[in-house]
Amino acid sequence: MAQGYKTKFYRSDDGSSYSPVAGMLDLEPGEESRGSVDMTPMDGTSGYMDYDPSGLRDAGEVSITLIWKETDSGQQALRADYDSDTNKHYKVEYPEGTTVEFIGHITGWGKAVPKDDKITRTVKFKISGKPSVTAGS
């Protein structure tokens, strides 16, 4: 059974030298989507709609939840990414070695402050282009 424990998240300015972001509690890789066009003929007999794939694919969004560590250089870099108007490079490394690299920008910068639990930061990324997946062992 695969588990997410030991999954890591990284960021980079140039896509070659990555730095870790500390304290990741949760990762939601998001969902890719694509369009479709209705091809149902008016004289159809099945009673069902017919579709063909069309349009561009959308790589979706990634969301991570972090233990809030204002002094972590990785979290500070994410804040700088949020404040910038450019896409950056990000990478997820799964425990068995598979990596997913993507270019994107931060669209959400949230925080939760429960009275009886840890403070967390939720960061949402919009992926630009096609992610690169390298299979692990």
Side-chain angles (χ1 to χ4, degrees):
M1 169 175 60
Q3 294 183 341
Y5 181 66
K6 295 191 178 183
T7 298
K8 298 175 183 157
F9 191 83
Y10 301 89
R11 68 153 313 273
S12 172
D13 288 323
D14 59 11
S16 62
S17 176
Y18 283 87
S19 299
V21 176
M24 186 169 65
L25 290 171
D26 192 35
L27 166 73
E28 293 180 37
E31 179 178 307
E32 295 183 33
S33 63
R34 68 179 304 173
S36 58
V37 62
D38 180 358
M39 297 297 290
T40 310
M42 292 183 69
D43 62 352
T45 59
S46 72
Y48 284 84
M49 304 280 291
D50 295 326
Y51 293 96
D52 280 347
S54 72
L56 299 171
R57 291 164 181 83
D58 183 344
E61 293 185 334
V62 171
S63 178
I64 61 172
T65 302
L66 306 165
I67 297 171
W68 181 60
K69 293 182 180 179
E70 202 67 29
T71 59
D72 174 64
S73 61
Q75 291 190 26
Q76 290 172 348
L78 289 180
R79 179 61 204 203
D81 292 352
Y82 176 75
D83 290 335
S84 79
D85 292 329
T86 60
N87 286 326
K88 300 293 181 179
H89 298 262
Y90 302 99
K91 177 170 67 172
V92 178
E93 183 180 294
Y94 292 96
E96 91 298 347
T98 296
T99 61
V100 178
E101 296 181 54
F102 65 93
I103 296 171
H105 56 275
I106 297 175
T107 59
W109 187 257
K111 188 190 264 185
V113 186
K115 73 176 178 182
D116 61 348
D117 202 355
K118 62 196 151 298
I119 298 173
T120 59
R121 163 92 52 218
T122 301
V123 185
K124 294 181 183 178
F125 305 82
K126 180 62 179 167
I127 299 172
S128 176
K130 182 179 181 179
S132 171
V133 178
T134 304
S137 53

